[in-house]
């Protein structure tokens, strides 16, 4: 399974919105500052230009809050430190932004004429800094989500490798023992079994070597057939398999080793411990209306309590479910239907990668 390094989110869109916002805001103030003249059709373009470009220093100064919030985040500053730093920065922003206007137009003005613009610029700064902090918090949450997803992928990759290397040692031992015994009675059948066994191992090695865990459904089904035919050497007439396969679904991409562990689970619990015959039913359905490929594996074995499934330390079902949920979402999680004496059925579905029926 391929993995990727989480990327840092870009902020080009943020700065585009920031620039557009300031342009619109400056244009609004330039118009509102001489609304009467504009309504009368006699706008003072010089005054409008002064009001418009007079907002540029504020826009540039407020942009400095972005690296400041980054510095506070990297230092993991306490809340009291963040509040103190931004209070000082807000006052500095207000004085620097409004200072030139006071110098040019502030002679002999009442105190209120100075206080309200000061508070206005402080609020502007605090609003901008707050938005920057929210954006950084979103970035942090995004990075954590990517890191968690990457951790899950690595965990599932390791479990998939374990599943590849596992191929149930008991199955390997029993298969080789059955083939050895078969060489004495039916050499041709033993040779066929060896080729099937070789195909299974090649399938596992090829999926590992390619670095991809996607195969066609036909390839996965061939792997399952080889597995069942080799198990039949040992189980004989006790194993009856019913196939209900959609002929239009064979070329669909599915996760490798996603169906075989479900079949192996039935072999392990429904057939191995018992001497009576049983039936294993394997179904695939291409549901074009829902845009999904559906799978079902069920047996008529003894079944099991629901609590026993949760307590089970088995690798196969757990790994398959984790891969499905991570790759396709919760809708693709395994659905298990079982009870003592009622057999064991497991089903799942994945999105179709092609639309419509194949030609």
């Amino acid at each position: 399974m391929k993995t990727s390094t989480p990327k840092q989110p870009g902020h080009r869109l943020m700065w585009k919105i920031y620039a557009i916002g300031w342009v619109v805001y400056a244009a609004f103030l330039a118009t509102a500052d001489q609304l009467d003249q504009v309504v009368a059709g006699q706008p003072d373009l010089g005054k409008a230009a002064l009001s418009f470009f007079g907002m540029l220093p504020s826009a540039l100064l407020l942009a400095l809050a972005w690296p400041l919030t980054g510095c506070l985040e990297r230092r993991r500053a306490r809340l009291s430190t963040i509040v103190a730093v931004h209070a000082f920065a807000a006052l500095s922003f207000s004085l620097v932004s409004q200072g030139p206007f006071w110098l040019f137009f502030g002679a002999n003005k009442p105190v209120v004429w100075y206080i309200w613009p000061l508070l206005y610029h402080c609020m502007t700064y605090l609003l901008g800094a707050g938005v920057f902090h929210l954006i950084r918090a979103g970035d942090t949450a995004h990075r954590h989500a990517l890191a968690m997803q990457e951790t899950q992928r690595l965990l599932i990759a390791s479990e998939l490798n374990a599943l590849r290397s596992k191929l149930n040692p008991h199955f390997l031992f029993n298969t080789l023992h059955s083939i050895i015994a078969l060489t004495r009675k039916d050499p041709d059948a033993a040779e066929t079994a060896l080729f099937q066994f070789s195909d299974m191992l090649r399938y596992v090695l090829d999926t590992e070597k390619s670095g991809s865990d996607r195969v066609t459904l036909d390839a996965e089904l061939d792997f399952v057939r080889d597995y069942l035919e080799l198990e039949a050497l040992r189980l004989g007439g006790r194993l009856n398999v019913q196939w209900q396969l959609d002929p239009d679904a064979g070329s669909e991409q599915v996760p490798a080793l996603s169906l075989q562990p479900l079949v192996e689970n039935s072999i392990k619990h429904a057939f191995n411990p018992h001497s009576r015959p049983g039936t294993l039913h394997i179904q695939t359905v291409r549901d074009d209306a829902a845009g999904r490929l559906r799978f079902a594996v069920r047996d008529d074995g003894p079944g099991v309590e629901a609590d026993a499934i949760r307590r089970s330390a088995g690798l196969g079902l757990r790994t398959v479910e984790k891969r499905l949920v991570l790759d396709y979402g919760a809708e693709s999680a395994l659905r298990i239907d079982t009870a003592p004496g009622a057999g064991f059925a497991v089903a799942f579905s994945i999105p179709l990668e092609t639309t419509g029926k194949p030609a």
Side-chain angles (χ1 to χ4, degrees), residues 203-219:
Y203 177 86
V204 173
L205 293 175
D206 286 346
T207 59
E208 185 174 16
K209 184 179 179 180
S210 68
S212 172
D213 70 340
R214 293 292 188 270
V215 296
T216 64
L217 176 58
D218 281 340

Side-chain angles (χ1 to χ4, degrees), residues 313-335:
L315 180 65
L317 292 182
R318 185 179 71 246
T319 300
V320 170
E321 180 164 38
K322 284 182 179 179
R323 292 168 63 201
L324 292 173
V325 172
L326 183 60
D327 288 351
Y328 305 110
E331 189 177 357
S332 293
L334 295 181
R335 297 178 296 282

Side-chain angles (χ1 to χ4, degrees), residues 239-263:
L239 176 60
N240 300 302
V241 183
Q242 293 183 355
W243 299 87
Q244 187 178 348
L245 306 179
D246 193 323
D248 293 332
S251 61
E252 284 293 325
Q253 294 290 307
V254 301
L257 294 173
S258 57
L259 196 57
Q260 185 271 340
L262 311 185
V263 173

Side-chain angles (χ1 to χ4, degrees), residues 3 16 58 181 234 236 261 304 328:
T3 59
K16 287 180 180 179
S58 297
R234 178 175 56 87
V304 67
Y328 305 110

Side-chain angles (χ1 to χ4, degrees), residues 34 38 95 112 139 143 164 182 252 261 267 286 289 307 355:
Q34 50 173 323
V38 172
L95 292 173
V112 175
D139 290 348
R143 289 195 299 270
R164 285 188 179 112
L182 194 61
E252 284 293 325
I267 296 294
R286 179 189 174 104
D307 290 340
T355 57

Side-chain angles (χ1 to χ4, degrees), residues 128-190:
V131 171
F132 286 153
H133 273 297
L134 287 176
I135 292 173
R136 289 195 179 276
D139 290 348
T140 300
H142 181 67
R143 289 195 299 270
H144 287 171
L146 288 178
M148 181 63 69
Q149 187 180 55
E150 191 69 12
T151 299
Q152 289 179 321
R153 287 190 181 278
L154 291 173
L155 175 61
I156 292 175
S158 66
E159 290 186 352
L160 180 57
N161 287 333
L163 194 62
R164 285 188 179 112
S165 61
K166 172 178 174 260
L167 260 189
N168 201 322
H170 294 291
F171 163 72
L172 298 177
F173 174 81
N174 291 332
T175 298
L176 290 174
H177 188 272
S178 298
I179 292 175
I180 292 173
L182 194 61
T183 56
R184 303 189 185 98
K185 297 185 297 182
D186 192 342
D188 291 337

